[in-house]
Amino acid sequence: MATTLELDELRNTFLRFFESKGHLVHPSASLKSDDPTLMFNVAGMQQFKAYFQGATPRFPGFEGVWPRVVTSQKCMRAGGKDSDIENVGRTRRHHTFFEMLGNFSFGDYFKAEAAAWAWEFLTDPAWLGLDPERLWVTVFSDDDEAYRIWTEEVGVPAARVSRFGEAENFWPANAVKDGRSGPCGPCSEIFYDRGPAYGSPDETGPNTGAGDRFMEIWNLVFTQYDLVEGELRPLPMQNIDTGMGFERLASVVSGAHDAYGTEIFGPSIRLIEQASNQPYRDLESVEHRIIADHARSVTMCITDGVLPANDGAGYVIKMLIRRAARQAWKLGVREPLLHRLVDAVAESMGGAYPAVRDQRSRVAAIVKAEEEHFLTTLEAGIERVANVLDALDGRVLSGAVAFDLWQTYGFPLDLTVEMAAERGVEVDRAGYAEAREAARTVSRAGGAKGALFGAAGDGLDELASDVPATVSVAFEALEAHATVQALVVDGTRASEVGEGGAVQVVLDRTPCYPEGGGQVGDAAKLTWPGGAIAVTHTGKTPHGHVLHTGRVVRGRLTTGATVHVAVDPARRETEKHHTATHLLHAALRRVLGEHVAQAGSLVAPDRLRFDVSHGTAITNEQLEHIERLANAWIQADLPVSARVVPIAEARAEGAMMLFGEKYGERVRMVRVGEDASPSIELCGGTHVRRTGEIGALLVTGEEAAAAGVRRLEAVAGTTAVQQVQSLRAAVQAGARALGATPDAFEARIAKLQADLRAAQRDSAQLRDRLAAAQTGAAAGAGDVHEAGGFRYASAALDGLDASALRNAADAVLQKTDADVVVLGSGQQLVVKVSEAAQARGAHAGRFIKALAQRGGGGGGGRPDMAQAGVRDAEGLRAALAAVPEVLTA
């Protein structure tokens, strides 16, 4: 079996081979998809879509144009239409996470080179050296060019080249039949013949029979057509897109039955065997295989910033953790297991992806928290579902019952479906959806209306029917004239509002920015002849109405009136903090790594808060580097621009997209800088015109916000100046108090600290001498008494702290033949017990607990030493007087 290092070398061999053919070795994209239509990266070509569509293949960090690229791409297929999650662990081919080795050509080489190089890599002894007699090829039924290349140029015998239709050898599959449109083309697949032992009698070649003898290892897609209204039209630029599953290739090279038999999963499976005391038996061990697969997927996804959540990709991660927890339960494991496998995944994957090793502690903590939460309900849920299935009359479980299992017992639909399927029962998913929607309707009717906007009530609902959405001019102006379209008072539509009244005002247009995307809503002032409203908050309804929430300070406002809207000047400070947040994000990714992703933010006039996915505390050195980098961009006075562009253009330019956000066809892209932009993000907020307006950025704090999430606090603009002034004033005041100049302040404090430590040492020595003087008499044999079979010495001393009291007890124990020493001073009590007395059952912790109770206090400790506190001097005398009684008890 190939070792982990050998598997890493296999991956690198593929990359080196195509590098020798003039390809750029491009790093894997994150598993987090920047395509809003996909939860994860699902294919090697996904990050290169723009180049397949004609964009010039220039890549950040690489000089020049690269029409040839090679990658090993992290991919994830779970939770979407491409998912075969029910087959994971049960077949030799399916995984949720996998790596796709691929070489790509953007209008450069085509079929002849792609086929020749694939064959060379697989069969040349200088590379993989596979037996060419065991390789078979398939081509599209009408692709005579590919057939000729394989048989005549590459030299594959015609008997091992098969033709198939568009269901097998066209991409996308059945594109013509299904009437799709867009770039497409035929493909050629390379299969490896594993031998009769893996097959079935009906297998005669690739895509035949029911066995696993012929395993597809490489797919070469020839993107040469544009499908328009059922017609295949040649593309002006022909592309190559290939994909070879690393897991399948590893099993072939290792001679293993499948990837689970390689060191990709070996470390995880061995740990599962150990934890469950259940040996791994290939396909029979479905539980081992599912747990190992899901552990790898969860680890890789969380490392890339996909955290467990209740929707989107995060929900997929949560469900994988729960599926694995249930499989571990079936193996008899009752404690959290998956988090222990993170290290095993790091062992097998960390060589290729160092971030997996670097972040394993953070990832394990997140996984463990999810496991512990789920395990509290798992046993009861499994029992409840089993009872429901036992009582079921028929082969379909009602959707309403499945929803009740979720709503009442917290048992997820996915696991209900899985348990039902194991008994041949189908779950009515449509009925589940109906029951869920009915519950939501009841919830909404029960008082959830307008919850987002306080007591808005029915008044906001009415707006949607007769009031047009507010037109925003927030990006163009800080002042505007507008018409009052509606007034909402105490949740009800009103025609007017008088002085002192609280109100939500809806205007036809507004320069106010409503709260969203982490940016706080604007404060503002609405004025009209004889009246004014102080707006304290601006929000937005789901229907697009901007709500100006405030109170009438004078006059009376009526619907239809014209008002002047003036945004509070604090908006400019908010803009500084918002642009500073983008620069902070960019600096964090530069310093900490590309795994860093935004996990939440607050942008206010006086501060910013930024949460990022990162597993460990950010060091002071890293924070200083981040701060310097962000301030360098500020001092460079870079232009800040915002454009509304097609989302494809934004992706092509590398714009950062927040995970979980839903984007339309056109998006607002905010760019800092021009040619070499440090930051490009999709953002709907307001920003400065140039970075120089920010002035400065100061990071004021860093802490953990949640498992795997770090929180940074920072200030910019005027607040940053005030922060520096405040710190300077504090330093000057401290320096004056210490009789030093600000420049010598630190040295003066260091000297005072050294003097204090020296004084503390002298004080401790004096206390020890005082203790020795006071215990001198106690060292005599006449002061040692006997009770309960133990010899003891006890005394009340004056002026000793806990440390000196312990030292004194040690001295008495060493200088006398006492088994037990009990000393007190003030309100403190110490008990020391000799080793010989411990062997005879004496226990300092138990003794002192009883003594402290006599003195109105409490305490405890080890068998050899214990400490306690008593109420007062009288309590100390009572405790010491009780020593014989306690020893005798």
Side-chain angles (χ1 to χ4, degrees):
M1 180 187 296
T3 65
T4 298
L5 289 175
E6 289 169 337
L7 291 177
D8 287 342
E9 180 58 25
L10 175 62
R11 183 188 295 107
N12 292 332
T13 298
F14 176 83
L15 298 175
R16 286 200 310 272
F17 173 81
F18 280 100
E19 186 177 33
S20 74
K21 304 298 184 183
H23 291 62
L24 169 69
V25 178
H26 195 282
S28 170
S30 169
L31 282 166
K32 292 178 67 173
S33 174
D34 60 4
D35 183 338
T37 65
L38 297 170
M39 290 190 291
F40 301 102
N41 262 305
V42 299
M45 60 81 64
Q46 189 171 322
Q47 65 172 316
F48 303 124
K49 282 184 179 180
Y51 311 115
F52 283 111
Q53 295 168 348
T56 302
R58 299 180 186 273
F59 303 98
F62 301 97
E63 294 184 1
V65 177
W66 292 90
R68 301 179 181 184
V69 174
V70 61
T71 66
S72 177
Q73 172 63 45
K74 296 173 290 185
C75 299
M76 184 80 177
R77 292 182 187 173
K81 64 181 181 180
D82 293 322
S83 171
D84 289 319
I85 194 168
E86 67 277 2
N87 293 322
V88 170
R90 293 179 167 84
T91 74
R92 299 199 182 280
R93 303 184 304 277
H94 292 91
H95 304 285
T96 49
F97 170 90
F98 60 96
E99 291 182 81
M100 189 63 76
L101 307 175
N103 57 292
F104 308 93
S105 168
F106 312 122
D108 187 32
Y109 62 85
F110 201 45
K111 294 180 185 179
E113 295 87 346
W117 291 340
W119 196 260
E120 179 185 354
F121 175 72
L122 292 174
T123 63
D124 192 323
W127 300 101
L128 292 194
L130 298 181
D131 181 359
E133 299 297 319
R134 304 187 74 167
L135 297 178
W136 293 60
V137 176
T138 65
V139 301
F140 180 52
S141 54
D142 295 338
D143 194 354
D144 295 334
E145 179 186 13
Y147 184 87
R148 180 190 58 77
I149 290 171
W150 284 113
T151 57
E152 297 180 13
E153 297 184 19
V154 177
V156 181
R160 295 208 307 275
V161 180
S162 308
R163 293 179 184 259
F164 290 93
E166 62 173 319
E168 300 290 347
N169 280 87
F170 202 87
W171 184 89
N174 293 318
V176 179
K177 175 185 174 184
D178 294 343
R180 301 187 189 183
S181 60
C184 59
C187 61
S188 283
E189 296 178 327
I190 303 175
F191 289 75
Y192 183 78
D193 181 1
R194 310 186 75 189
Y198 289 87
S200 58
D202 54 350
E203 278 188 288
T204 58
N207 299 326
T208 64
D212 291 314
R213 173 175 176 174
F214 297 94
M215 182 171 68
E216 177 205 335
I217 57 174
W218 207 339
N219 187 14
L220 316 180
V221 178
F222 311 128
T223 312
Q224 63 186 99
Y225 297 116
D226 187 12
L227 184 56
V228 181
E229 297 180 353
E231 179 185 354
L232 290 173
R233 300 177 182 176
L235 284 170
M237 186 175 80
Q238 297 177 324
N239 303 312
I240 290 293
D241 163 22
T242 86
M244 176 161 54
F246 178 70
E247 290 75 12
R248 295 189 184 185
L249 183 63
S251 67
V252 168
V253 172
S254 300
H257 288 141
D258 54 28
Y260 294 101
T262 72
E263 282 303 285
I264 293 175
F265 292 106
S268 294
I269 288 178
R270 287 191 290 272
L271 197 153
I272 296 167
E273 288 181 308
Q274 178 184 351
S276 66
N277 200 28
Q278 299 285 337
Y280 175 69
R281 296 187 177 91
D282 197 38
L283 282 174
E284 296 178 25
S285 299
V286 173
E287 294 85 359
H288 294 69
R289 293 159 71 92
I290 291 177
I291 296 169
D293 172 272
H294 290 6
R296 186 171 72 138
S297 298
V298 166
T299 299
M300 300 302 292
C301 284
I302 295 178
T303 298
D304 273 5
V306 185
L307 304 180
N310 290 326
D311 55 13
Y315 181 71
V316 174
I317 304 310
K318 176 174 285 192
M319 284 310 307
L320 291 178
I321 293 173
R322 291 180 171 188
R323 291 184 90 244
R326 178 174 171 257
Q327 298 302 321
W329 189 274
K330 290 167 66 177
L331 288 176
V333 180
R334 297 296 182 262
E335 299 295 328
L337 170 63
L338 204 64
H339 73 282
R340 296 170 55 193
L341 301 183
V342 172
D343 278 344
V345 175
E347 179 185 337
S348 62
M349 304 297 293
Y353 306 104
V356 180
R357 285 180 179 161
D358 297 341
Q359 299 189 42
R360 55 187 171 185
S361 296
R362 158 186 168 262
V363 174
I366 293 172
V367 174
K368 185 178 183 181
E370 282 294 323
E371 285 186 286
E372 289 176 336
H373 177 70
F374 181 58
L375 285 173
T376 60
T377 62
L378 179 60
E379 183 173 13
I382 289 176
E383 182 178 353
R384 179 63 182 170
V385 175
N387 291 338
V388 168
L389 293 173
D390 287 341
L392 182 65
D393 183 14
R395 311 308 298 171
V396 177
L397 179 65
S398 160
V401 172
F403 180 70
D404 182 64
L405 288 168
W406 163 251
Q407 187 178 47
T408 305
Y409 302 99
F411 204 74
L413 173 65
D414 307 63
L415 293 188
T416 300
V417 170
E418 189 171 298
M419 288 184 66
E422 290 171 356
R423 300 194 185 199
V425 174
E426 182 181 351
V427 176
D428 178 12
R429 289 179 177 269
Y432 179 93
E434 291 173 4
R436 181 180 58 186
E437 183 56 34
R440 288 175 175 173
T441 301
V442 171
S443 176
R444 287 193 292 265
K449 283 183 181 177
L452 183 60
F453 303 99
D458 294 335
L460 292 182
D461 289 340
E462 295 175 10
L463 296 178
S465 61
D466 62 352
V467 178
T470 308
V471 175
S472 174
V473 293
F475 300 127
E476 293 82 34
L478 293 178
E479 297 185 36
H481 285 90
T483 301
V484 177
Q485 296 194 107
L487 301 171
V488 178
V489 178
D490 293 330
T492 304
R493 291 279 291 274
S495 59
E496 63 178 14
V497 60
E499 189 167 319
V503 64
Q504 292 176 306
V505 182
V506 180
L507 306 173
D508 64 334
R509 61 199 301 266
T510 182
C512 295
Y513 181 85
E515 180 177 345
Q519 181 173 332
V520 299
D522 283 334
K525 191 170 185 179
L526 274 57
T527 58
W528 62 95
I533 290 178
V535 176
T536 56
H537 180 263
T538 309
K540 192 174 185 178
T541 74
H543 305 294
H545 301 105
V546 176
L547 303 177
H548 304 77
T549 302
R551 189 175 294 275
V552 181
V553 295
R554 68 175 185 276
R556 179 171 294 275
L557 182 64
T558 60
T559 303
T562 298
V563 298
H564 178 260
V565 188
V567 178
D568 191 299
R571 156 82 87 76
R572 291 304 189 197
E573 294 300 313
T574 302
E575 292 174 349
K576 294 175 185 178
H577 282 90
H578 201 154
T579 307
T581 301
H582 284 215
L583 296 178
L584 180 61
H585 192 187
L588 284 161
R589 289 173 62 84
R590 289 277 186 95
V591 174
L592 302 181
E594 294 298 307
H595 66 278
V596 169
Q598 181 173 336
S601 69
L602 169 69
V603 178
D606 60 342
R607 65 192 176 101
L608 69 86
R609 185 183 70 226
F610 195 63
D611 295 347
V612 293
S613 57
H614 186 63
T616 58
I618 304 173
T619 66
N620 288 334
E621 291 76 12
Q622 289 172 326
L623 286 173
E624 289 174 2
H625 188 182
I626 289 163
E627 201 174 56
R628 285 196 305 271
L629 187 55
N631 279 288
W633 292 328
I634 291 171
Q635 297 304 313
D637 196 28
L638 301 172
V640 181
S641 61
R643 293 188 299 128
V644 176
V645 300
I647 193 167
E649 180 179 337
R651 287 199 298 268
E653 294 197 28
M656 285 289 297
M657 301 182 187
L658 297 185
F659 175 74
E661 290 288 326
K662 295 181 179 179
Y663 299 107
E665 288 300 315
R666 297 180 66 79
V667 294
R668 186 168 183 265
M669 183 173 69
V670 175
R671 178 192 295 270
V672 177
E674 294 175 323
D675 295 334
S677 300
S679 171
I680 307 175
E681 292 195 27
L682 299 192
C683 179
T686 61
H687 291 270
V688 299
R689 273 53 57 193
R690 300 188 72 89
T691 59
E693 297 175 31
I694 299 172
L697 171 69
L698 300 178
V699 176
T700 58
E702 189 273 345
E703 62 181 1
V709 177
R710 305 302 299 182
R711 171 167 293 172
L712 286 87
E713 302 268 0
V715 292
T718 300
T719 312
V721 174
Q722 294 170 344
Q723 177 88 354
V724 171
Q725 291 174 334
S726 177
L727 291 172
R728 182 175 60 194
V731 170
Q732 290 173 339
R736 285 195 300 270
L738 296 177
T741 64
D743 290 343
F745 186 37
E746 187 175 358
R748 179 63 173 154
I749 290 177
K751 184 177 187 306
L752 288 173
Q753 289 176 324
D755 292 345
L756 177 60
R757 287 192 292 270
Q760 289 172 334
R761 285 194 299 270
D762 292 343
S763 176
Q765 291 172 357
L766 288 173
R767 283 194 300 270
D768 287 342
R769 291 174 186 170
L770 176 62
Q774 294 185 69
T775 58
D783 293 305
V784 177
H785 309 282
E786 186 171 344
F790 296 104
R791 295 176 61 79
Y792 73 92
S794 64
L797 309 178
D798 295 324
L800 302 186
D801 62 9
S803 176
L805 203 58
R806 289 193 301 271
N807 292 341
D810 282 334
V812 173
L813 195 65
Q814 292 171 5
K815 294 178 180 179
T816 70
D817 59 351
D819 297 311
V820 179
V821 174
V822 183
L823 298 181
S825 181
Q827 293 176 274
Q828 300 176 93
L829 196 65
V830 169
V831 173
K832 290 274 187 169
V833 176
S834 69
E835 290 185 10
Q838 292 175 53
R840 291 191 290 123
H843 191 291
R846 289 198 298 270
F847 288 163
I848 206 165
K849 183 177 181 181
L851 293 172
Q853 288 175 348
R854 303 293 200 284
R862 304 187 306 266
D864 64 320
M865 192 280 289
Q867 297 181 164
V870 294
R871 182 179 61 251
D872 50 23
E874 183 61 33
L876 180 61
R877 283 192 290 273
L880 291 173
V883 171
E885 177 188 348
V886 169
L887 290 177
T888 304

